[in-house]
Amino acid sequence: MNGILTFFGGLVNGLGEVWAHKFRSLLSMAGIILGVAALVAMVGVVQGMIGEVRDYFERTGGITRLMVEPREPPDEQLHIAHLSPGLTFRDVEAIRQGSPLVTWIDPEVSLGWRRYSHAGRNESAPLRGVLPDRREILRLQLREGRFIGDLDIADASPVVVLGSWLGEQFFPDGGAVGERISLHGRQYRIIGVLEPLGGHDAGGWFRWQDRVGYIPVTTGMKRFNGNDRLNSLAVQVADVAFLEDAMEQVRNVLLHTRRGIRDFEVTTMEEQLMEFRRMERSFTFALGGVAGISLLVGGIGIMNVMLAVINERIREIGVRKAVGARGSDIFIQFLAEAVVISVVGGMIGMMASVGLVVMLGEIVEAEQFRIVLSPAAMVAGFLFSVTIGVASGIYPAMRAARLNVIEALRYE
Amino acid sequence: MSLVKSENLTKTYRMGDETVRALDGVSLRIDPGEFVAILGPSGSGKSTLMHILGFMDSPSAGRLRFEGGEVSQIGRARRSWYRANRIGFVFQAFNLLPRLSVTDNVLLPVVYGRSGIRDRKSLARVALERVGMTHRARHLPNQLSGGERQRAAIARALVNSPALVLADEPTGNLDSQNVDRIMALFGELAAEGHTIVVVTHDEHVAGFARRRIRMHDGRITEDSSMDV
């Protein structure tokens, strides 16, 4: 009880000391302030980047996605490799019939950047040929109209769904559905306009996706390429539990369509996931290390100042001991002062971190990723700074507590 | 019963290869209510004696009893308790803490004494009243004159009603007018029953005390009681 009272008195006393030497206190807090601010900003940057990647990962199918990727056929098949038709739309139909574990099939004909023209206005944006399934996988929301349907696929109709950015450019007031837009020298009927993918303040990949225009995959094959080749093919499996079996199914089906030539590979997102986790970890360690070092430097700063303070106040320590203070009283008094410095520094650091995150956000811009102000990081930074402050106050406080009362009283 | 009783107190220091005998067999007895001056040139051992009497230092040899108890048996934490509650200190340089008000300075021994007293303010008021400093209770030490500072320091020494007040050259930093006032105050306190020991090298100051102990080279060379 007495110890607590003494500590509380020490805190009040420490506040007085900090206030009495404002500039020196600020200097001694500088390390802690910068350390906390750096920690919070670093975590914000990492979380922003990681969050972006994670969103992308989730939104593109997550771990239930299987990808069909081209591969060099094995040596014994090299001489017959030309017999394989490669990745074609026939694969899509075969998978649909032969792989019941697959819920969505996601082929794509990438048509690169195209010029979209309407009412004398031109914009360049990516164009892709896809199935209706794409809407389910990316969870695309429509601002108006509808997405590509099965009939559009069957008829290879000249219809287009505009990404939100294109819709904004050509029809800022809406009313796009039914209008015609010129693509590749032909008229396409607009059947829908998408909502922005990640909400209005999303960055990076989502903004990129919002530019894309979609046409039926069959339209892309017939009207643009004149063949049924696909640029990529992926499928979604209903549940992770079926992943292995679904892989087997897809592999078997494709071996059939490829005439037995193993010029493809079915891969999971696992590798990407591992890569992503590795990246997350190394970022956290690297940036956390930087922030940790700056907090450590802050702690050394506090220790340095506390040692100087104690040297300045040897006489005071002597007087206090002479009138009855025990070593533990002196210890608690100076430890409380270090606590005050680190707590005040930590709080200023938390405030500074908000400013730093806002400033970094301005510099980085939403195009790349958003910087997240993490309350957890603020609290962690604060607690860490207080811990460091207390730890760095222990040694000076011990020195103060051990001073000999007679020598301390004689000290000039 | 005697308040302080020492037998053959010896204190030796090692300074380099040499052994210095700061106290060389000091035997004395101080009774409650006495007003004693310990006189002697610097190096005579008077400060060492005061430190030992004040629980700040321990003798190398010899016996010392305080209020009937053997001082060498007292542990370190208990010594702090004695300094807070049973001994009052007055220093040459006043030694008030500059950032504390007069009242808070006076209350330091109460804070560290852990007596559990709730009404600290009235304790401080009583002590400040005794030295005539109530009007300065809220001032900071640097707003006081030298004489006022020493009176505040005396109030601090008195606040816990100690058995013994030790003053180490209490007038060394004062002008002659204040010297007389402070020493007169000690005289009054002694008359009220406080036990006062003043260490000084000044014959004039020692003249205020009723008993004078003269020291030289760590020994008592004269111990004279003077009836007033």
Side-chain angles (χ1 to χ4, degrees):
Chain A
M1 184 60 198
N2 255 319
I4 295 166
L5 273 180
T6 315
F7 185 72
F8 184 73
L11 287 182
V12 175
N13 184 64
L15 273 173
E17 289 294 334
V18 165
W19 189 246
H21 304 281
K22 291 175 208 64
F23 188 62
R24 186 175 74 188
S25 304
L26 195 68
L27 284 183
S28 58
M29 289 171 191
I32 287 283
I33 294 172
L34 290 177
V36 172
L39 182 83
V40 174
M42 294 295 179
V43 169
V45 169
V46 172
Q47 283 196 348
M49 284 165 68
I50 297 298
E52 192 76 22
V53 176
R54 182 183 289 124
D55 282 358
Y56 162 74
F57 187 75
E58 291 293 325
R59 288 298 290 272
T60 53
I63 52 168
T64 57
R65 188 177 178 88
L66 292 176
M67 284 155 305
V68 179
E69 284 176 352
R71 197 187 71 173
E72 194 73 352
D75 284 348
E76 71 274 15
Q77 290 187 334
L78 271 179
H79 65 290
I80 50 165
H82 63 278
L83 292 177
S84 165
L87 197 59
T88 67
F89 193 67
R90 271 167 285 164
D91 294 334
V92 173
E93 280 156 351
I95 289 171
R96 185 165 284 152
Q97 280 159 20
S99 308
L101 287 175
V102 167
T103 41
W104 307 111
I105 307 179
D106 192 23
E108 183 176 295
V109 173
S110 305
L111 299 164
W113 284 71
R114 297 286 171 174
R115 180 194 297 241
Y116 296 70
S117 310
H118 172 81
R121 209 190 143 104
N122 297 309
E123 291 292 350
S124 261
L127 182 65
R128 289 170 190 174
V130 295
L131 281 184
D133 302 37
R134 174 65 63 96
R135 180 184 175 190
E136 308 298 336
I137 295 162
L138 286 187
R139 275 171 273 154
L140 299 172
Q141 302 290 321
L142 286 142
R143 183 183 294 164
E144 54 174 316
R146 62 177 178 85
F147 198 67
I148 295 159
D150 290 337
L151 267 178
D152 301 317
I153 301 294
D155 296 347
S157 346
V159 293
V160 64
V161 175
L162 299 182
S164 63
W165 182 82
L166 279 169
E168 202 65 53
Q169 298 305 311
F170 287 111
F171 307 99
D173 306 321
V177 174
E179 293 287 330
R180 284 172 193 280
I181 199 161
S182 170
L183 257 171
H184 198 47
R186 283 176 185 248
Q187 293 292 310
Y188 280 72
R189 187 160 52 86
I190 299 168
I191 55 171
V193 178
L194 297 172
E195 286 282 5
L197 216 60
H200 286 280
D201 58 345
W205 179 81
F206 291 104
R207 290 204 169 200
W208 181 256
Q209 285 295 309
D210 286 338
R211 288 186 163 240
V212 175
Y214 296 102
I215 60 172
V217 63
T218 46
T219 312
M221 296 186 306
K222 282 187 185 152
R223 299 207 178 197
F224 284 83
N225 292 348
N227 60 43
D228 63 353
R229 284 184 183 280
L230 300 176
N231 294 88
S232 72
L233 177 62
V235 301
Q236 290 291 130
V237 179
D239 194 285
V240 188
F242 308 141
L243 211 57
E244 286 295 318
D245 292 340
M247 257 172 102
E248 201 52 44
Q249 281 182 356
V250 171
R251 210 176 276 135
N252 288 337
V253 167
L254 291 182
L255 266 180
H256 187 71
T257 59
R258 303 293 172 89
R259 297 175 186 159
I261 294 164
R262 297 195 292 279
D263 61 348
F264 67 92
E265 199 172 9
V266 182
T267 62
T268 63
M269 296 286 272
E270 204 167 348
E271 215 157 284
Q272 271 103 321
L273 193 66
M274 299 280 278
E275 181 64 29
F276 165 62
R277 295 240 164 95
R278 237 191 328 269
M279 183 180 87
E280 187 174 20
R281 211 172 318 128
S282 50
F283 265 127
T284 308
F285 280 132
L287 298 181
V290 169
I293 287 171
S294 54
L295 272 176
L296 213 61
V297 171
I300 293 169
I302 288 186
M303 189 186 289
N304 196 14
V305 168
M306 288 308 296
L307 286 173
V309 161
I310 284 160
N311 225 30
E312 233 172 60
R313 283 157 62 188
I314 287 180
R315 185 75 172 246
E316 173 191 331
I317 295 164
V319 173
R320 285 181 185 270
K321 282 194 157 185
V323 298
R326 298 188 298 193
S328 59
D329 295 321
I330 302 295
F331 178 80
I332 288 170
Q333 178 193 340
F334 283 97
L335 191 65
E337 248 182 84
V339 168
V340 167
I341 291 178
S342 57
V343 166
V344 174
M347 289 196 294
I348 296 176
M350 287 209 302
M351 290 188 269
S353 72
V354 177
L356 191 62
V357 165
V358 169
M359 204 175 75
L360 275 178
E362 293 291 322
I363 294 170
V364 169
E365 286 186 278
E367 295 291 339
Q368 296 168 48
F369 55 88
R370 279 188 306 153
I371 296 176
V372 186
L373 185 64
S374 154
M378 289 172 75
V379 172
F382 176 74
L383 290 179
F384 193 33
S385 70
V386 172
T387 310
I388 291 244
V390 172
S392 52
I394 287 176
Y395 172 65
M398 261 165 55
R399 272 185 51 158
R402 283 184 186 158
L403 281 176
N404 177 284
V405 51
I406 297 168
E407 283 165 25
L409 276 173
R410 277 198 198 121
Y411 192 83
E412 293 297 332
Chain B
M1 193 182 71
S2 62
L3 178 66
V4 176
K5 193 166 191 298
S6 81
E7 280 169 35
N8 245 334
L9 277 187
T10 306
K11 180 73 182 178
T12 51
Y13 300 100
R14 286 202 66 85
M15 286 182 88
D17 291 340
E18 247 179 287
T19 305
V20 179
R21 233 167 233 282
L23 289 184
D24 192 6
V26 171
S27 301
L28 87 165
R29 170 190 168 129
I30 297 169
D31 290 323
E34 275 198 282
F35 183 7
V36 186
I38 299 179
L39 260 163
S42 63
S44 60
K46 60 186 193 303
S47 289
T48 304
L49 179 60
M50 200 204 69
H51 291 146
I52 290 172
L53 293 182
F55 290 82
M56 292 201 274
D57 205 354
S58 307
S60 313
R63 283 159 58 92
L64 175 65
R65 295 176 82 80
F66 182 85
E67 294 187 311
E70 181 61 45
V71 171
S72 62
Q73 306 289 320
I74 298 171
R76 206 199 292 196
R78 194 65 183 161
R79 284 169 172 270
S80 297
W81 181 89
Y82 270 96
R83 290 204 291 267
N85 293 292
R86 303 307 297 151
I87 310 277
F89 284 100
V90 180
F91 305 96
Q92 175 174 359
F94 321 132
N95 281 343
L96 299 169
L97 298 188
R99 248 186 292 292
L100 299 185
S101 70
V102 166
T103 298
D104 287 339
N105 265 293
V106 168
L107 284 176
L108 278 174
V110 183
V111 171
Y112 291 124
R114 297 181 159 76
S115 45
I117 290 166
R118 300 247 166 220
D119 192 7
R120 291 178 174 180
K121 278 201 178 133
S122 65
L123 265 186
R125 196 172 340 105
V126 168
L128 285 170
E129 242 163 46
R130 183 61 204 85
V131 299
M133 283 287 291
T134 29
H135 61 297
R136 296 289 203 214
R138 285 153 174 256
H139 287 63
L140 290 174
N142 63 15
Q143 297 167 312
L144 307 179
S145 72
E148 285 177 323
R149 286 183 205 188
Q150 197 58 302
R151 280 193 280 155
I154 293 170
R156 179 174 68 190
L158 295 176
V159 70
N160 272 340
S161 311
L164 175 63
V165 174
L166 294 173
D168 188 4
E169 301 278 8
T171 55
N173 285 9
L174 297 176
D175 57 64
S176 59
Q177 197 186 345
N178 273 309
V179 169
D180 289 358
R181 285 175 67 178
I182 292 294
M183 289 316 294
L185 177 58
F186 277 126
E188 289 168 28
L189 292 170
E192 289 163 17
H194 287 99
T195 314
I196 314 264
V197 174
V198 175
V199 169
T200 183
H201 65 276
D202 186 336
E203 295 285 345
H204 172 71
V205 168
F208 284 86
R210 269 174 287 178
R211 174 180 170 196
R212 278 177 287 179
I213 297 173
R214 209 174 285 276
M215 290 188 69
H216 194 78
D217 285 345
R219 292 168 182 274
I220 293 176
T221 54
E222 185 193 325
D223 186 347
S224 68
S225 289
M226 210 169 66
D227 289 314
V228 182

